[in-house]
Amino acid sequence: MIASKVVNQQDELWMKFAVALSEKSQGLTSENPNVGCAVIDANGFLCGSGFTQIGGRPHAETIALDDAGEKALGGTLYVTLEPCSHYGKTPPCTDAIIQAGVKRVVIGSLDPDTRVNGLGIKLLKKAGVDVEIGLLQEDVKKSIPSFLARNSFFQKEENNSKSLRPFITVKIAHSLDGFMSKAIGKGSQISNQVSASYVHDLRSRVDAVLTSKQTVEIDNPLLTARINGLKLTTTRIVLDRELAISESKKLVKTSIEHPLIIVTENQPSEAHWVYDKKKYENIRLIVMGDKYNLVDIFKVLIEQGIGHILVEPGPRLLESLISMKLADEFIEIISQKKLRTGLSIKNTKQTVEFSPPKFYLLDKQFNLVDDIVKIWKLQN
């Protein structure tokens, strides 16, 4: 809630608009958070809007204020995250807001970055701007999982196991009777084309897409975000204990355009194909040694700045993620097809009914044509 203020419908409407704007660049803003901003003039009309641009600059507030021009004078600015107050590659957004003559600023959430974290609010108030904080805070946090995970880790938050890993989204797709593919050892697309497009959008919103060597060998996926009109680079991660992935796989062949990280247990011999730098200079190895386990792997990945991972697992990896409570959310896509045989989501040949453990609650459900999508959230 906004301190000492009654949330009115207009405030909520414009903050929802700002959150929606922020999601336009989710996953595309590098180390910066994806932020949305709307400027409303003194008469209550929208006069400017913007969101953080690809690569993290310009910031949302700068774009929205440039869009509004002189109409921002005496108006209200809605922004999902506290405006920055420090000089980096660009001047502070607080300076731009003050200079524009904005009368009131409504902020969704504090910025946990130690360079900001309340200072932006103090500077605005000192300049006579009316500041309100906390509107739709949970919605804002859902839109910046990578930024929050990275800040939590680098600030070394105590007594918080989540601060030791990225935010993990798991995507699974299965038939109505619980099968992930038509046969063991054979890949196949279960969901419809609209759901496939939805998955490409999911891939574009994360820092990396992760899968296992078994899935690579069976499905030979690209794991890239392929969206018409956009040229997107997707970082892919493969868990491959024995470094047995074939050089012929699509993930390897496309590594020049889309970086590939292979997580393995031991350093390979010098004769391994992965050392051919002329062909595979965009492939990186992470050698875990005796720490080849999901907890330590995720810790290494967040140390390297990967704050949000989409996992597209097979049955074994899925079981580990859920039983160890490492999945913050998982997205279940259910086709209305019945396969009656194949590889089930529980790694069997039999028809199964899938339901997550009780520590996951259904957060959202919707249809993509005839496919059903369920989004489950891990409860603290």
Side-chain angles (χ1 to χ4, degrees), residues 181-333:
S181 64
K182 294 179 180 179
I184 294 176
K186 292 185 178 180
S188 58
Q189 183 174 315
I190 300 297
S191 53
N192 63 39
Q193 286 303 119
V194 177
S195 294
S197 296
Y198 172 69
V199 172
H200 286 296
D201 181 67
L202 289 175
R203 291 173 183 167
S204 76
R205 296 177 180 276
V206 299
D207 299 326
V209 181
L210 181 148
T211 195
S212 65
K213 185 267 295 183
Q214 289 82 2
T215 298
V216 173
E217 291 296 335
I218 294 169
D219 292 344
N220 194 19
L222 280 169
L223 298 182
T224 54
R226 301 185 292 280
I227 301 173
N228 289 339
L230 292 177
K231 186 176 181 180
L232 301 168
T233 300
T234 311
T235 297
R236 290 83 49 83
I237 303 171
V238 179
L239 304 184
D240 185 1
R241 184 188 289 271
E242 304 297 332
L243 195 50
I245 185 174
S246 168
E247 187 178 6
S248 66
K249 294 302 178 183
K250 292 177 182 177
L251 288 177
V252 176
K253 288 187 172 182
T254 57
S255 61
I256 294 176
E257 298 86 14
H258 302 279
L260 176 61
I261 299 171
I262 304 176
V263 183
T264 189
E265 185 172 18
N266 299 308
Q267 195 76 35
S269 69
E270 293 182 1
H272 197 282
W273 62 259
V274 79
Y275 290 117
D276 188 345
K277 295 296 183 183
K278 291 181 180 179
K279 292 171 67 176
Y280 305 122
E281 61 183 14
N282 221 14
I283 295 179
R284 183 156 55 92
L285 284 183
I286 295 178
V287 180
M288 296 299 299
D290 59 4
K291 291 188 175 181
Y292 189 92
N293 61 79
L294 287 175
V295 171
D296 284 313
I297 289 169
F298 286 148
K299 183 177 179 181
V300 169
L301 291 172
I302 197 168
E303 282 175 347
Q304 298 188 9
I306 298 175
H308 187 188
I309 297 174
L310 174 66
V311 183
E312 301 191 26
R316 292 179 182 176
L317 180 54
L318 173 64
E319 181 181 2
S320 297
L321 289 164
I322 292 178
S323 64
M324 297 172 70
K325 296 185 180 180
L326 292 175
D328 293 287
E329 65 177 3
F330 65 90
I331 300 172
E332 181 185 13
I333 302 174

Side-chain angles (χ1 to χ4, degrees), residues 18-292:
V19 171
L21 287 170
S22 77
E23 292 174 346
K24 286 180 174 288
S25 59
Q26 190 178 46
L28 304 175
T29 57
S30 189
E31 74 279 0
N32 285 350
N34 48 289
V35 175
C37 182
V39 182
I40 312 305
D41 67 21
N43 296 314
F45 295 103
L46 177 69
C47 62
S49 63
F51 53 90
T52 312
Q53 295 299 287
I54 293 175
R57 296 175 183 83
H59 291 183
E61 299 94 322
T62 302
I63 294 174
L65 288 169
D66 286 348
D67 188 26
E70 294 180 358
K71 293 180 180 179
L73 182 64
T76 299
L77 182 143
Y78 295 85
V79 64
T80 54
L81 196 67
E82 178 184 4
C84 64
S85 52
H86 60 283
Y87 280 88
K89 294 183 179 180
T90 56
C93 288
T94 49
D95 286 3
I97 293 169
I98 293 166
Q99 291 169 10
V102 171
K103 182 179 180 180
R104 178 173 173 253
V105 173
V106 181
I107 300 169
S109 179
L110 279 172
D111 187 338
D113 189 320
T114 54
R115 296 170 297 177
V116 188
N117 199 20
L119 181 57
I121 294 169
K122 290 179 181 177
L123 291 175
L124 290 171
K125 287 184 174 179
K126 186 176 180 180
V129 179
D130 181 16
V131 181
E132 300 171 19
I133 177 74
L135 179 59
L136 299 185
Q137 182 171 258
E138 291 307 309
D139 290 352
V140 170
K141 288 182 175 181
K142 287 179 182 178
S143 71
I144 50 172
S146 176
F147 179 71
L148 294 178
R150 286 182 281 111
N151 269 275
S152 178
F153 173 76
F154 289 115
Q155 291 177 32
K156 305 296 182 186
E157 289 188 2
E158 298 294 333
N159 302 317
N160 183 3
S161 61
K162 286 188 178 183
S163 69
L164 299 178
R165 61 173 171 80
F167 187 92
I168 304 296
T169 299
V170 177
K171 186 275 296 181
I172 56 176
H174 62 83
S175 65
L176 196 59
D177 47 359
F179 292 102
M180 301 180 77
S181 64
K182 294 179 180 179
I184 294 176
K186 292 185 178 180
S188 58
Q189 183 174 315
I190 300 297
S191 53
N192 63 39
Q193 286 303 119
V194 177
S195 294
S197 296
Y198 172 69
V199 172
H200 286 296
D201 181 67
L202 289 175
R203 291 173 183 167
S204 76
R205 296 177 180 276
V206 299
D207 299 326
V209 181
L210 181 148
T211 195
S212 65
K213 185 267 295 183
Q214 289 82 2
T215 298
V216 173
E217 291 296 335
I218 294 169
D219 292 344
N220 194 19
L222 280 169
L223 298 182
T224 54
R226 301 185 292 280
I227 301 173
N228 289 339
L230 292 177
K231 186 176 181 180
L232 301 168
T233 300
T234 311
T235 297
R236 290 83 49 83
I237 303 171
V238 179
L239 304 184
D240 185 1
R241 184 188 289 271
E242 304 297 332
L243 195 50
I245 185 174
S246 168
E247 187 178 6
S248 66
K249 294 302 178 183
K250 292 177 182 177
L251 288 177
V252 176
K253 288 187 172 182
T254 57
S255 61
I256 294 176
E257 298 86 14
H258 302 279
L260 176 61
I261 299 171
I262 304 176
V263 183
T264 189
E265 185 172 18
N266 299 308
Q267 195 76 35
S269 69
E270 293 182 1
H272 197 282
W273 62 259
V274 79
Y275 290 117
D276 188 345
K277 295 296 183 183
K278 291 181 180 179
K279 292 171 67 176
Y280 305 122
E281 61 183 14
N282 221 14
I283 295 179
R284 183 156 55 92
L285 284 183
I286 295 178
V287 180
M288 296 299 299
D290 59 4
K291 291 188 175 181
Y292 189 92

